[in-house]
Amino acid sequence: MSVHQHKQENNPVKCMVLTISDTRTEETDKSGNLMKELLEEAEHSVTIKKVIHDEKDVIQNAVAAGCENANVDVILTNGGTGIAYRDVTIETIQPMLSKEMSGFGEIFRVLSYQEDIGSAAILSRAIAGVIGHTAIFATPGSSGAVKLAMNKLIIPEITHVVQEVKKDIR
């Protein structure tokens, strides 16, 4: 364990994985499956996994349902974060946040630049925050981006994030 990492107690986190795409299906959902696999390897559980369309109302409804579900501590999305006109994930999730973890997107882009896609990182949009007592992480849909975000940022901090988000409940 490095000095800067928090000691993680063995508290499994209950996760919802949403793949936001107009072209992917359950069968072709490489990034959603990768998220699920990495979470389960880290001994967390994926209670809900869906592929949904990149449309504002569909994303809002799925995220809101996750926030209201007692079996969801964290919502992880992949896809719909690009700069194309159809990409509306960030614009949909950002106004739903009660608190934003701006460091997630900032560090993700630095890591993307250094370790994955170079200068194309300027096109990369990722966001994280809290909606009520539910944490949410929205990553790009490429498997490289998902692997980077999960291994370098999300998995190392997911238990800590949930502890912070839920510590004032009751």
Side-chain angles (χ1 to χ4, degrees), residues 8-114:
Q8 299 287 314
E9 289 152 35
N10 200 3
N11 293 337
V13 172
K14 297 174 285 195
C15 303
M16 173 186 210
V17 172
L18 295 174
T19 295
I20 300 170
S21 174
D22 291 330
T23 56
R24 303 234 170 108
T25 64
E26 290 296 336
E27 295 75 40
T28 62
D29 183 18
K30 188 176 171 187
S31 292
N33 290 334
L34 180 60
M35 278 184 159
K36 183 177 193 289
E37 183 183 307
L38 293 170
L39 288 162
E40 290 173 348
E41 280 174 15
E43 299 182 6
H44 300 297
S45 64
V46 176
T47 55
I48 300 167
K49 182 182 169 300
K50 292 182 178 177
V51 176
I52 62 172
H53 286 288
D54 193 356
E55 293 172 19
K56 185 177 180 176
D57 59 334
V58 175
I59 298 166
Q60 275 178 332
N61 292 340
V63 169
C67 291
E68 292 164 15
N69 189 324
N71 285 317
V72 175
D73 297 318
V74 178
I75 299 168
L76 299 101
T77 76
N78 72 86
T81 63
I83 61 170
Y85 184 78
R86 290 275 311 139
D87 294 323
V88 297
T89 299
I90 303 300
E91 290 74 19
T92 302
I93 291 173
Q94 195 163 31
M96 297 176 78
L97 298 177
S98 37
K99 297 186 188 301
E100 185 172 342
M101 290 186 282
S102 52
F104 174 74
E106 294 163 357
I107 296 168
F108 175 76
R109 279 182 287 282
V110 170
L111 292 171
S112 293
Y113 175 77
Q114 293 173 338

